[in-house]
């Protein structure tokens, strides 16, 4: 294809291209040099970028435009060798101007051949990309700052989780004593129920905070067991039922009639489902409805938590699983909260090599969370069956 295109070039076109690159273009530098790496050609663009004229550099070593540390590393020689061995070699590095200042050069070195096909020299085409280098450095600094803030945030989260754990133990003990006292329990039954729910909420919050720090430090692991999907769903419902009853919510479950065994970390997965169900309870108004559905395909089981509650705004939807999303978007209509639970949900599902998704048509139109996790513990890169057989 290249030969076809080249054969259609007229002498006038070739001359125009040569004049453009060597005389009229100031944005690109063009430097010719021989096998001994002596400069044999220097265009106006190279003069504009570096400040050196052709008369000053013709016959000089190409090392002249290399910064001292690169000369010590013999990178001028390396650049020529790369072009000789590969035919062409792209490079980005600092180069010198005549006044001693530096510029970030982005370019390519190409080997030239004589009529016998033997190497006759090289051409280096480059441009001043210092502004791009400065922008990249600016972005690198921003990334470093973000990483530093993330580390500080991780320490803060870990400290808060530790401090919350300390008062929880005596609170639970005092609450259990009240439950076991017939006189006090009968007299304060309703307040005790409220305290019990709130202590449970605090326990889940602390657990989510601890798990979040484990995930971000790469220390969370899962322990697989074989459990029955239907029993697992019922345990989740039993755990969340008191909170739903307190708001007069209608919670319905739909599961297959035939027992289905799954290999998961039951404690972690219960944490996932409880987070999703409690999330639905939190954002569904009194008297609303919640559906917990489970099913399977050939290789995975699927669980859905659907509600007719507040829904999720389109702006919040893509970020719903990011930690602190709710706290940073109070206008989304999702109420108060740190958004930690959903971030933990995503990480636990990822550890099971599954996926979690959310759908909502907008505020006031409810939402549906779905998870899809392998039925069996993944053993590697086994492909899913395509013909309908396991």
């Amino acid at each position: 294809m290249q030969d076809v295109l080249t054969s259609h070039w007229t002498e006038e076109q070739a001359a125009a291209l040569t004049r453009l690159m060597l005389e009229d273009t100031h944005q690109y530098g063009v430097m010719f040099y021989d096998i001994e790496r002596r400069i044999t050609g220097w265009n106006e663009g190279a003069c504009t970028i570096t400040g050196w004229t052709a008369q000053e550099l013709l016959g000089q070593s190409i090392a002249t435009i290399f910064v001292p540390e690169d000369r010590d590393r013999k990178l001028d020689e390396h650049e020529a060798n790369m072009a000789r061995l590969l035919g062409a070699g792209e490079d980005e590095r600092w180069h010198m101007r005549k006044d001693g200042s530096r510029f970030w050069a982005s370019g390519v070195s190409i080997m030239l051949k004589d009529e016998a096909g033997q190497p006759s020299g090289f051409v280096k085409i480059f441009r001043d990309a210092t502004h791009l280098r400065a922008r990249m450095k600016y972005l690198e600094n921003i990334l470093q700052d973000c990483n530093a803030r993330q580390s500080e945030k991780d320490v803060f989260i870990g400290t808060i989780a530790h401090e919350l754990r300390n008062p929880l133990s005596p609170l639970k003990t005092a609450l259990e004593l009240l439950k076991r006292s017939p006189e006090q329990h009968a007299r304060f039954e309703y307040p005790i129920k409220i305290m019990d729910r709130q202590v449970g909420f605090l326990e889940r919050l602390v657990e989510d905070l601890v798990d979040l720090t484990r995930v971000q430090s790469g220390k969370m692991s899962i322990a697989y067991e074989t459990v029955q999907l239907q029993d697992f769903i019922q345990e989740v419902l039993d755990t969340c039922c008191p909170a739903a009853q307190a708001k007069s919510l209608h919670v319905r479950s739909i599961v297959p009639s035939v027992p289905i065994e799954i290999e998961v970390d039951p404690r972690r997965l219960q944490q996932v489902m409880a987070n999703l169900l409690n999330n639905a309870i939190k954002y569904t108004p009194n008297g609303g409805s919640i559906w917990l559905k489970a099913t399977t395909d050939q290789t995975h089981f699927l669980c859905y938590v659907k509600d007719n509650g507040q829904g999720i705004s389109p702006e919040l939807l893509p970020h719903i699983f990011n930690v602190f999303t709710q706290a940073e978007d109070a206008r989304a209509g999702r109420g108060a909260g740190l958004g930690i639970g959903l971030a933990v949900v995503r990480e636990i599902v990822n550890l099971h090599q599954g996926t979690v998704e959310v759908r909502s048509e907008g505020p006031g139109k409810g939402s549906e969370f779905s998870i899809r996790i392998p039925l069996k513990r993944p053993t590697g890169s086994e492909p899913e069956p395509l013909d309908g057989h396991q």
Side-chain angles (χ1 to χ4, degrees):
M1 184 66 178
Q2 184 178 359
D3 293 339
V4 174
L5 291 176
T6 304
S7 66
H8 284 79
W9 284 22
T10 64
E11 292 185 5
E12 182 179 354
Q13 289 173 327
L17 177 61
T18 301
R19 184 170 59 253
L20 175 67
M21 290 300 298
L22 300 183
E23 300 176 11
D24 298 339
T25 297
H26 293 264
Q27 290 82 10
Y28 288 88
V30 179
M31 176 180 72
F32 292 90
Y33 57 99
D34 59 22
I35 299 299
E36 285 74 30
R37 300 189 302 282
R38 294 188 299 262
I39 298 174
T40 58
W42 190 257
N43 80 330
E44 287 298 321
C47 178
T48 301
I49 294 173
T50 68
W52 273 300
T53 64
Q55 289 76 13
E56 292 172 317
L57 283 187
L58 290 178
Q60 300 296 319
S61 169
I62 64 170
T64 305
I65 68 170
F66 280 69
V67 297
E69 56 268 33
D70 284 354
R71 291 178 209 158
D72 293 341
R73 301 187 188 106
K74 296 187 176 181
L75 293 186
D76 56 319
E77 180 180 340
H78 171 71
E79 190 172 291
N81 286 337
M82 185 169 59
R84 180 176 57 83
L85 294 173
L86 301 178
E90 296 183 6
D91 61 86
E92 291 185 345
R93 67 177 76 256
W94 291 107
H95 277 318
M96 297 288 295
R97 294 190 179 95
K98 180 180 178 180
D99 61 8
S101 63
R102 301 184 177 200
F103 68 96
W104 184 255
S106 174
V108 59
S109 296
I110 303 171
M111 184 181 68
L112 304 176
K113 296 181 180 181
D114 58 21
E115 294 182 356
Q118 298 300 313
S120 61
F122 304 89
V123 59
K124 178 181 174 72
I125 303 172
F126 60 93
R127 65 171 181 149
D128 184 352
T130 308
H131 63 294
L132 297 179
R133 174 67 179 179
R135 188 180 305 170
M136 183 173 66
K137 188 63 178 178
Y138 171 73
L139 294 176
E140 288 175 352
N141 292 336
I142 291 179
L143 179 60
Q144 289 179 356
D145 290 341
C146 289
N147 290 336
R149 286 196 296 268
Q150 181 62 48
S151 297
E152 293 174 357
K153 187 184 295 184
D154 293 344
V155 173
F156 172 76
I157 291 173
T159 303
I160 290 296
H162 176 74
E163 293 299 324
L164 284 175
R165 269 182 164 175
N166 291 334
L168 263 179
S169 182
L171 279 174
K172 288 178 63 179
T173 302
L175 188 57
E176 285 300 318
L177 290 175
L178 287 175
K179 289 180 181 179
R180 295 176 184 181
S181 174
E183 300 84 6
Q184 299 295 336
H185 190 275
R187 185 179 177 185
F188 300 108
E189 181 178 4
Y190 182 68
I192 288 175
K193 286 183 178 179
I194 294 177
M195 287 188 291
D196 197 24
R197 286 199 303 271
Q198 296 307 313
V199 168
F201 168 76
L202 286 174
E203 282 189 301
R204 290 191 298 272
L205 176 60
V206 170
E207 188 174 3
D208 286 345
L209 285 169
V210 172
D211 284 340
L212 187 63
T213 58
R214 287 173 179 163
V215 166
Q216 293 176 340
S217 62
K219 295 180 180 179
M220 178 181 279
S221 60
I222 51 178
Y224 280 92
E225 297 180 26
T226 300
V227 297
Q228 193 179 100
L229 178 60
Q230 288 84 347
D231 293 342
F232 168 77
I233 293 295
Q234 189 57 51
E235 289 180 10
V236 174
L237 288 170
D238 292 342
T239 301
C240 302
C241 189
Q245 290 175 347
K247 296 183 66 174
S248 300
L249 299 176
H250 304 285
V251 181
R252 300 176 177 87
S253 64
I254 306 173
V255 297
S257 57
V258 177
I260 297 172
E261 288 189 343
I262 58 176
E263 290 184 14
V264 295
D265 184 328
R267 187 178 71 86
R268 292 295 185 196
L269 196 58
Q270 187 176 52
Q271 188 178 353
V272 166
M273 296 306 299
N275 264 322
L276 294 180
L277 196 52
N278 283 318
N279 196 66
I281 293 170
K282 181 178 181 180
Y283 296 117
T284 301
N286 291 359
S289 297
I290 298 173
W291 296 265
L292 178 54
K293 302 178 290 183
T295 186
T296 69
D297 58 23
Q298 294 174 342
T299 56
H300 292 69
F301 70 91
L302 300 90
C303 293
Y304 304 86
V305 177
K306 184 177 181 180
D307 64 69
N308 60 357
Q310 293 182 15
I312 306 171
S313 67
E315 297 79 13
L316 181 60
L317 204 58
H319 313 287
I320 194 68
F321 294 104
N322 295 340
V323 65
F324 300 131
T325 292
Q326 294 177 41
E328 295 172 355
D329 194 357
R331 298 172 298 173
R334 296 289 289 176
L338 296 178
I340 293 173
L342 292 180
V344 174
V345 162
R346 179 181 61 182
E347 298 303 333
I348 294 177
V349 171
N350 286 343
L351 285 173
H352 281 83
Q353 297 189 27
T355 57
V356 57
E357 297 177 353
V358 60
R359 293 187 298 174
S360 177
E361 295 182 6
K365 297 183 179 180
S367 59
E368 182 179 56
F369 288 83
S370 62
I371 64 171
R372 186 172 187 267
I373 293 177
L375 284 166
K376 303 295 183 181
R377 176 178 181 173
T379 56
S381 57
E382 296 177 356
E384 294 186 10
L386 302 177
D387 58 355
H389 297 286
Q390 294 254 25

